[in-house]
């Protein structure tokens, strides 16, 4: 084999190795990316079927239902335009309550968002940025605003 051919084989191997590494990196990146959707986007069917995503909005007041003797919790998440039912079967964060902002990770199954992780806001002033953007277009009705009379 001539020296020129050996160099071509080495260059081809390097290009193939870099291509394989880029492919594997993109696959790992895609597996770890989780997009955010608000209840209006879920209602519009913009959510990719069968994929995990983040759902954010406000917990509807009076919608939290706990099953006695289990950790199962059902509640509604709204952006004041549409509402999505959510079910969760783990320990809820201490700050989770009615009328508060929440971001849940999970999948849609038969019209219900099955969450595997629920994140509640840190304090009264904090709002997850995705939820704040979502609610900016759909302001809450006056009766849903804390402190409103």
């Amino acid at each position: 084999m001539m020296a020129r051919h050996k160099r071509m084989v080495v260059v081809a191997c390097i290009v193939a190795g870099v291509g394989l590494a880029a492919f594997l990196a993109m696959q790992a990146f895609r597996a770890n990316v989780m997009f955010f959707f608000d209840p209006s986007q879920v209602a519009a069917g913009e959510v990719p079927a069968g994929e995990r995503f983040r759902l954010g909005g406000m917990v509807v007041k009076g919608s939290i239902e706990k099953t006695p003797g289990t950790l199962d919790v059902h509640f509604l998440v709204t952006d004041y335009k549409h509402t999505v039912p959510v079910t969760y079967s783990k320990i809820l964060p201490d700050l989770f309550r009615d009328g508060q902002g929440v971001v849940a990770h999970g999948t849609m199954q038969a019209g219900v968002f099955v969450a595997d992780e629920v994140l509640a806001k840190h304090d009264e002033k904090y709002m997850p940025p995705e939820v704040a953007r979502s609610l900016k277009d759909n302001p809450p009705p006056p009766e849903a605003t804390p402190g409103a009379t």
Side-chain angles (χ1 to χ4, degrees):
M1 189 181 263
M2 295 177 40
R4 183 176 178 191
H5 289 126
K6 288 182 181 177
R7 278 184 278 171
M8 294 293 286
V9 169
V10 169
V11 168
C13 289
I14 290 172
V15 169
V18 169
L20 179 64
F23 174 75
L24 293 174
M26 291 302 291
Q27 289 298 319
F29 179 73
R30 182 170 165 71
N32 292 322
V33 169
M34 195 171 2
F35 294 103
F36 177 86
F37 292 95
D38 60 32
S40 291
Q41 292 173 309
V42 173
E46 297 177 16
V47 177
E51 290 193 24
R52 292 186 71 220
F53 66 95
R54 295 183 296 151
L55 172 69
M58 304 297 286
V59 177
V60 175
K61 289 184 179 181
S63 69
I64 299 174
E65 297 176 12
K66 296 181 180 179
T67 305
T70 67
L71 296 175
D72 294 347
V73 177
H74 305 277
F75 56 95
L76 300 173
V77 173
T78 186
D79 61 356
Y80 301 113
K81 193 172 181 183
H82 291 92
T83 301
V84 175
V86 178
T87 183
Y88 184 64
S89 299
K90 296 180 183 174
I91 297 173
L92 287 168
D94 292 338
L95 298 174
F96 179 85
R97 59 182 82 100
D98 287 340
Q100 298 290 322
V102 67
V103 175
H105 300 181
T107 58
M108 287 299 291
Q109 296 178 10
V112 176
F113 185 79
V114 179
D116 54 30
E117 183 176 8
V118 172
L119 307 171
K121 68 181 193 177
H122 298 100
D123 61 27
E124 294 177 6
K125 295 180 182 176
Y126 177 77
M127 177 70 69
E130 297 95 346
V131 175
R133 263 181 279 162
S134 172
L135 295 177
K136 185 177 180 183
D137 296 333
N138 303 313
E143 64 273 4
T145 306
T149 56

